[in-house]
Amino acid sequence: MTIRFLGKKLKNPLVLASGVLGNNKEILERVHESGCGLVTMKSIGPAPRDGHKNPTVIDLGHGMINAVGLPTPGYNHMEEEWKALEKRNFPLNASIYGGSVKEYRTVAKFVSGKSPDFIEINISCPNSEQHGMIFGVNEESAFEVVSAVRQVTDIPLIAKLTPQAPDIAKIAKACEEAGADAICAINTAGPGMVIDIEAQMPILAFKKGGLSGPMIKPIAVRCVYDIYKAVSIPIIGLGGITTGEDAVEMIMAGATLVGIGSGVRYRGMGIFDLVNQELEAWLTAHGTTVDHILGSAHKNDPLQRGAQ
Ligand SMILES: Cc1cc2nc3c(=O)[nH]c(=O)nc-3n(C[C@H](O)[C@H](O)[C@H](O)COP(=O)(O)O)c2cc1C
């Protein structure tokens, strides 16, 4: 099921979400070999950062809560990883973040020199006081970050958004106007909190964390649906996808590609092959194709694409 996305050929519409499997070339390669069409790196920041203290991730069964806190070696302390990734045989999406517009620009310029196939601008991380999300909840700052990055690279840009924006469609539109080539939605939802009732204290060391996995799928589907109406550029839809039928739902909401993050924990690395098979089976059983169902949930919506 090959697919063209921003001028590149992908072997299928599935994407590894940023942050769940790090930046090691061998692991990213294995993900691609396991049936993933596009592999996203963990977000790369402007300076070395340890992230938050443990515990940082809790599995709640119906999803996860995490406050990893954007740990990064820093863009210019990754020579080994960059060198290995130069010789890759899979499409790569490099995710970046900054604490200011200037930092986004600096990281983007450097990362652009490493020739990833796409650059994903993370303006949506909820787990850091200074980094990322503040830019994604406000149209002006989202516009400013994306246009600053646009000025320093010709590589296709994907803006990754947060469901915490008061109106995510307006943020997506601002990113499109600033030069983004695609939108990725959503980053984790929340923030939420889990309390250990015996210890009478929050379990996460950072106390609050972003929610992911099946419990956030309806939020993700709603966001993609709203964004699809507002922009003309393609969307990577993610949040809670673990089955082929979830992928069908996301495509019907308006996603050209479908991302998987927490699902790797629930179904293992084999999830990409499984979701591809389930998606194909569903399409065959219904005598249709991905192109035919893209955005099909909008067909009875009086507001047409691009009308908002
Ligand atoms: C442990 C963990 C780490 C994450 N790290 C990042 C990150 O570095 N950059 C980013 O843009 N998103 C990050 N995310 C968010 C995911 O990429 C994804 O947007 C979110 O988890 C929703 O998808 P899912 O329900 O399939 O997990 C992280 C998620 C988890 C669970």
Side-chain angles (χ1 to χ4, degrees):
M1 202 194 304
T2 58
I3 200 155
R4 288 216 57 94
F5 181 71
L6 307 180
K8 302 269 174 175
K9 192 167 141 197
L10 308 181
K11 65 179 176 180
N12 61 54
L14 301 187
V15 181
L16 171 71
S18 176
V20 288
L21 288 174
N23 284 337
N24 174 283
K25 185 204 168 197
E26 278 69 38
I27 294 177
L28 299 180
E29 193 164 48
R30 245 181 74 205
V31 176
H32 182 249
E33 282 163 6
S34 307
C36 174
L38 172 62
V39 172
T40 309
M41 297 174 77
K42 165 115 195 116
S43 295
I44 299 157
R49 187 180 148 88
D50 290 336
H52 297 312
K53 292 202 171 66
N54 282 323
T56 54
V57 184
I58 304 164
D59 187 349
L60 304 170
H62 48 303
M64 288 163 41
I65 183 165
N66 94 81
V68 175
L70 289 174
T72 180
Y75 67 99
N76 52 357
H77 295 93
M78 293 175 52
E79 267 328 298
E80 240 172 76
E81 287 95 329
W82 291 126
K83 214 168 162 27
L85 286 165
E86 245 173 51
K87 294 179 227 102
R88 69 183 181 275
N89 57 356
F90 54 88
L92 185 71
N93 183 18
S95 170
I96 60 159
Y97 73 88
S100 64
V101 173
K102 193 166 165 235
E103 283 182 356
Y104 272 100
R105 194 190 293 122
T106 305
V107 179
K109 193 168 177 190
F110 182 92
V111 168
S112 179
K114 303 296 174 189
S115 304
D117 298 277
F118 309 100
I119 294 179
E120 185 167 283
I121 313 171
N122 179 1
I123 49 171
S124 48
C125 184
N127 301 322
S128 160
E129 300 88 344
Q130 318 95 326
H131 296 98
M133 196 179 70
I134 189 163
F135 298 100
V137 291
N138 175 291
E139 287 148 72
E140 286 77 28
S141 49
F143 182 90
E144 229 186 308
V145 170
V146 175
S147 37
V149 171
R150 182 71 292 165
Q151 280 162 20
V152 296
T153 182
D154 290 330
I155 290 176
L157 294 179
I158 303 166
K160 180 155 180 191
L161 307 190
T162 170
Q164 276 164 270
D167 185 342
I168 197 168
K170 285 194 175 142
I171 307 287
K173 186 82 193 148
C175 292
E176 181 181 40
E177 283 167 3
D181 300 286
I183 300 293
C184 176
I186 57 176
N187 207 313
T188 51
M193 181 183 279
V194 189
I195 291 173
D196 178 334
I197 57 173
E198 300 306 327
Q200 301 184 30
M201 60 188 280
I203 302 180
L204 288 172
F206 189 62
K207 298 186 177 66
K208 298 177 260 184
L211 305 174
S212 62
M215 65 183 164
I216 71 163
K217 193 185 71 175
I219 300 176
V221 170
R222 185 269 299 167
C223 287
V224 169
Y225 187 93
D226 285 351
I227 294 167
Y228 183 81
K229 276 194 298 198
V231 301
S232 308
I233 52 181
I235 304 164
I236 302 176
L238 83 162
I241 305 300
T242 60
T243 68
E245 292 195 358
D246 292 340
V248 168
E249 191 178 350
M250 201 51 114
I251 295 165
M252 287 181 171
T256 297
L257 302 184
V258 176
I260 294 177
S262 306
V264 175
R265 180 176 180 100
Y266 293 114
R267 298 184 82 185
M269 201 77 111
I271 188 168
F272 295 99
D273 260 340
L274 290 171
V275 171
N276 275 318
Q277 286 164 24
E278 292 160 1
L279 174 59
E280 296 260 21
W282 191 94
L283 293 169
T284 307
H286 291 76
T288 188
T289 62
V290 163
D291 287 347
H292 273 101
I293 62 165
L294 174 58
S296 64
H298 294 260
K299 64 177 182 290
N300 293 320
D301 191 328
L303 283 176
Q304 295 305 306
R305 187 156 203 213
Q308 270 196 341

